Amino acid sequence: MKNRLLILCALFFATATKAQTDFSILVQPYTIPGFPGLHSYAAAAYNGKWVLIGGRTEGLHQRQPTTAFLSANNNTNIYVVDPVSKNVWTASVNSLPDSFNEQLQSSNMLFCYEGDKLYIAGGYGYSATIGNHKTFTNLVVVDLPGLINAVINNVSINSFFRQLTDNIFAVTGGQMAKQGDMFLLVGGQQFDGRYNPNNGPSFTQVYSNQIRKFKLADNGTALSISYQNTITDANELHRRDYNMVPQVFPDRRLGYTAFSGVFQNAVNLPFLNTVDIDSFGYSPNNSFNQLLNHYHSGKIAVYDSVANAMHSIFFGGMAQYYYNAGGNLVQDNEVPFVSTIGKVTRAANGTMSEMKIGDLTGFIGTGAEVFINHALPLYSNEVIKLNAISQDTVLAGYLAGGISSIAPNIFFVNTGTQSAASNNIYKILLVKNSVIPVQLVYFRGVKQKNIVLLEWKTATEQNNNRFEIERSTDGIIFSVIGSIPGSGNSDLEKVYSYKDISPAPGLNYYRLKQINLDETHSYSSVILIRIGSTEKQFLIYPNPVNEKLIVEFDKIISDNVRIRIIDINGRELFSQSKQVLSRQINLNTAGLSSGSYFIEIVINGKTYADKFIKK
């Protein structure tokens, strides 16, 4: 149940996407006072209002069984949100019977909504009834208009929930959809017991490996399953915590595509292929590899009916691959948090392609949800009808919640302070047949002794007033350190630079704030530069260390690296040579006694050393 997550966002510089109808995506910060910090929740929209149920109120779950998935961090409130008036109302699930309130404060439930009903299945969380964690075996049907009115008017919510118990619903981390009268439960797992990254014996974990299909008999009072069938594929459906995006297939049928997910059968890496799914069956696509956006994240679907092109757009999350500031594709098998805005396009002939269309200014999207704007022309599965939109710019929806983190790879060092549940909301704007004010080719930085040279290139500019350079020492709070005039309007590539002559010792985070003539603005992605000895090509943290020590290089290493750990008496306690294609190596220090140690790194015959303390 490796659930690694993050955030920090604002506008990103986007690249226009090309099809029969051009469109681009912009993301804008949007504040709703009282919106909770929340991730991995169930969501629905009805009559202009949002409903949020369950999920978690802390950041990335910790690795220690005694601190992971604590019930104290369950979301025990139901939230109703009006994004226009910015009102937020709450009601507690604790007023509900135990069979309801325990499930409805769990995380990673499967859910979908249609009309005035929200359907919630499974979910993982603590059950006081059995005194342990479990995957719940219930389907809950929620009366949305009744619940919304009850929460707003602060009256009892109990009559707006009904429940059906069956082992078919014992799934967490999968996806749920309704197509016609058929429900689909796709992938996921049944995880019972206390989470333990060392594989038990505190839990059992069984992947679904299935598409579970059922029909629901509902007379308004009683619920029952009127039809049930399963499709099992231990290879293609062995995935959880993935994205299932609504689709219009090339033959114009409606359905869904499962993108990526974890973990492959033979290795702890994400799936790269996709699986097309509808109410009749499924079809794996092994001719396409999705390299970006591998973990459950916010997403939208846009269909160009003229070109018969389907666009699936993903907002951040985690991925095995990402593009660095220089525009180079990087493979990181630690599967870090990423800021990538990725787009997968399926052409009329069925071929699929992927491109990066922007960056969030940090790490957001994992465990977040997108609330689609129902005022737009939509297919029944919430795919946006691009050609039916007449305006140049429309609100596609809102990206809400998720987990914020201070670094890409925090899983092995997570103590609960490196990440938090986000209460941020972002408008997602769809811009048709329009040029984005600034198309940023790259933003990068290089260290020159104790000076940082920042460089960036634009492909085009429209009404660009200036760039402000911002710096932070924690990746969260940024301050302006300089300003460079923009080029106004330009169809030519422009290169800019700025020297930070007084960077802070240690870590320096940089980002660009691009400001238009009307003072609207956008942010670039964040880059990280370390200031220290030029001989010190790696950073070790946390220091002091408890269990896992991270060795982070100042650039991607593609070489054989030898690592030694030596105690203060000169005795070698650990030695390993390994081929590295990454910026990070994780070392298990749990077996070391408390005290001081030296770490020695040999790269290309050159030796570097540092000192750390074991708690």
Side-chain angles (χ1 to χ4, degrees):
M1 211 155 179
K2 199 174 182 182
N3 187 23
R4 301 181 288 181
L5 321 154
L6 306 167
I7 161 181
L8 262 177
C9 182
L11 283 171
F12 64 90
F13 299 125
T15 303
T17 57
K18 298 294 182 182
Q20 186 68 31
T21 302
D22 294 341
F23 75 93
S24 300
I25 296 294
L26 292 176
V27 179
Q28 293 180 335
Y30 188 72
T31 301
I32 297 181
F35 187 81
L38 200 60
H39 69 89
S40 306
Y41 56 89
Y46 179 81
N47 198 25
K49 294 182 176 62
W50 308 341
V51 175
L52 296 84
I53 299 177
R56 302 200 60 76
T57 62
E58 93 278 43
L60 170 65
H61 69 77
Q62 295 186 55
R63 301 182 69 246
Q64 296 77 14
T66 56
T67 55
F69 296 97
L70 294 177
S71 60
N73 299 123
N74 292 356
N75 171 36
T76 59
N77 285 326
I78 295 171
Y79 292 91
V80 173
V81 180
D82 186 326
V84 177
S85 68
K86 298 188 175 183
N87 286 317
V88 178
W89 301 271
T90 63
S92 174
V93 298
N94 290 326
S95 65
L96 297 169
D98 288 345
S99 62
F100 287 92
N101 76 56
E102 290 183 355
Q103 179 182 7
L104 295 181
Q105 56 183 289
S106 67
S107 61
N108 297 110
M109 295 176 281
L110 284 64
F111 65 91
C112 66
Y113 61 93
E114 182 182 59
D116 61 358
K117 297 290 189 298
L118 167 62
Y119 303 92
I120 300 174
Y124 174 77
Y126 181 74
S127 167
T129 301
I130 66 170
N132 202 349
H133 289 68
K134 64 176 288 188
T135 297
F136 292 90
T137 59
N138 310 313
L139 174 75
V140 176
V141 180
V142 184
D143 175 358
L144 287 172
L147 176 65
I148 290 170
N149 289 332
V151 173
I152 291 175
N153 294 302
N154 195 28
V155 298
S156 173
I157 62 174
N158 290 35
S159 62
F160 305 111
F161 297 88
R162 291 175 296 146
Q163 194 173 62
L164 174 64
T165 300
D166 193 289
N167 285 333
I168 190 177
F169 306 123
V171 188
T172 185
Q175 294 283 301
M176 183 178 185
K178 186 172 188 280
Q179 191 167 8
D181 61 352
M182 186 75 73
F183 288 87
L184 307 173
L185 303 176
V186 183
Q189 64 178 332
Q190 182 171 352
F191 196 99
D192 292 318
R194 197 60 184 267
Y195 170 79
N196 184 338
N198 297 314
N199 293 324
S202 62
F203 67 85
T204 59
Q205 179 183 31
V206 180
Y207 279 76
S208 155
N209 297 327
Q210 291 180 335
I211 299 172
R212 298 176 179 177
K213 304 194 297 183
F214 69 95
K215 294 181 181 181
L216 195 64
D218 181 0
N219 62 9
T221 302
L223 301 169
S224 62
I225 295 175
S226 62
Y227 167 86
Q228 182 176 339
N229 189 24
T230 59
I231 299 171
T232 302
D233 188 329
N235 293 318
E236 298 296 346
L237 301 177
H238 184 84
R239 55 184 86 200
R240 59 176 171 85
D241 301 325
Y242 64 95
N243 289 304
M244 191 165 78
V245 185
Q247 302 284 292
V248 179
F249 294 122
D251 60 3
R252 313 281 179 165
R253 289 179 301 112
L254 300 185
Y256 298 85
T257 295
F259 288 87
S260 193
V262 294
F263 289 106
Q264 296 181 37
N265 283 297
V267 61
N268 283 348
L269 290 173
F271 286 89
L272 301 182
N273 72 332
T274 62
V275 180
D276 295 332
I277 299 164
D278 61 21
S279 58
F280 297 100
Y282 74 111
S283 176
N285 180 2
N286 295 315
S287 64
F288 167 73
N289 282 336
Q290 182 192 21
L291 300 183
L292 311 174
N293 311 101
H294 290 151
Y295 202 90
H296 178 80
S297 64
K299 61 267 185 186
I300 63 172
V302 180
Y303 178 63
D304 182 342
S305 61
V306 175
N308 191 14
M310 183 69 232
H311 305 283
S312 303
I313 300 162
F314 306 87
F315 298 90
M318 293 183 289
Q320 187 182 358
Y321 297 85
Y322 64 91
Y323 286 93
N324 63 16
N328 300 309
L329 185 66
V330 176
Q331 177 180 345
D332 186 342
N333 289 345
E334 293 296 325
V335 193
F337 297 102
V338 296
S339 61
T340 309
I341 310 296
K343 177 172 71 70
V344 174
T345 296
R346 190 197 313 260
N349 63 4
T351 60
M352 298 175 71
S353 60
E354 181 181 35
M355 66 181 296
K356 172 184 172 182
I357 62 171
D359 272 296
L360 301 166
T361 61
F363 309 102
I364 185 173
T366 307
E369 296 295 335
V370 169
F371 292 90
I372 292 292
N373 178 11
H374 285 164
L376 291 178
L378 302 172
Y379 290 93
S380 60
N381 59 357
E382 292 198 333
V383 173
I384 297 172
K385 298 179 178 180
L386 180 63
N387 306 94
I389 297 173
S390 58
Q391 306 98 310
D392 286 337
T393 302
V394 295
L395 173 67
Y398 299 85
L399 179 68
I403 295 182
S404 62
S405 176
I406 62 174
N409 287 304
I410 67 168
F411 182 72
F412 292 104
V413 298
N414 180 34
T415 60
T417 62
Q418 293 85 355
S419 63
S422 169
N423 64 352
N424 291 316
I425 300 170
Y426 303 90
K427 283 186 174 181
I428 302 171
L429 302 180
L430 189 153
V431 185
K432 285 184 62 177
N433 302 313
S434 180
V435 178
I436 299 302
V438 172
Q439 294 185 38
L440 188 69
V441 178
Y442 62 75
F443 172 49
R444 60 194 181 197
V446 294
K447 182 174 60 176
Q448 298 177 339
K449 294 187 177 179
N450 288 326
I451 292 176
V452 174
L453 174 63
L454 302 169
E455 298 178 316
W456 61 99
K457 179 193 286 188
T458 62
T460 62
E461 298 182 31
Q462 186 179 59
N463 300 323
N464 182 22
N465 184 8
R466 67 189 186 275
F467 297 96
E468 289 184 350
I469 300 91
E470 298 184 350
R471 185 182 69 200
S472 170
T473 57
D474 59 8
I476 299 173
I477 300 174
F478 285 83
S479 301
V480 177
I481 61 171
S483 179
I484 298 289
S487 297
N489 299 299
S490 172
D491 292 326
L492 303 175
E493 289 188 343
K494 299 287 184 178
V495 178
Y496 299 85
S497 65
Y498 177 85
K499 285 187 177 181
D500 182 8
I501 61 174
S502 56
L507 301 180
N508 289 262
Y509 299 82
Y510 295 94
R511 71 183 183 189
L512 291 177
K513 182 178 182 181
Q514 181 269 318
I515 302 173
N516 300 313
L517 294 177
D518 62 0
E519 291 299 310
T520 58
H521 63 274
S522 308
Y523 286 104
S524 74
S525 58
V526 176
I527 61 176
L528 173 63
I529 302 292
R530 292 196 303 272
I531 297 298
S533 169
T534 57
E535 286 295 299
K536 189 174 179 179
Q537 294 194 354
F538 65 90
L539 175 73
I540 59 172
Y541 62 93
N543 193 4
V545 62
N546 184 18
E547 182 180 355
K548 293 290 183 181
L549 184 70
I550 291 181
V551 180
E552 181 177 311
F553 302 99
D554 62 355
K555 61 183 179 181
I556 295 173
I557 301 296
S558 179
D559 209 332
N560 188 271
V561 175
R562 184 187 179 200
I563 304 171
R564 299 172 67 215
I565 294 178
I566 303 165
D567 67 14
I568 57 174
N569 296 316
R571 294 177 298 181
E572 181 182 280
L573 304 180
F574 173 86
S575 179
Q576 181 185 43
S577 293
K578 63 185 300 182
Q579 188 68 30
V580 175
L581 182 60
S582 174
R583 284 189 60 183
Q584 287 190 351
I585 296 175
N586 298 312
L587 299 175
N588 189 336
T589 59
L592 296 178
S593 302
S594 299
S596 297
Y597 297 88
F598 296 97
I599 183 169
E600 181 183 275
I601 308 287
V602 180
I603 307 173
N604 264 342
K606 195 166 185 178
T607 301
Y608 307 89
D610 205 343
K611 186 177 181 179
F612 68 93
I613 297 173
K614 172 67 168 62
K615 292 181 181 179

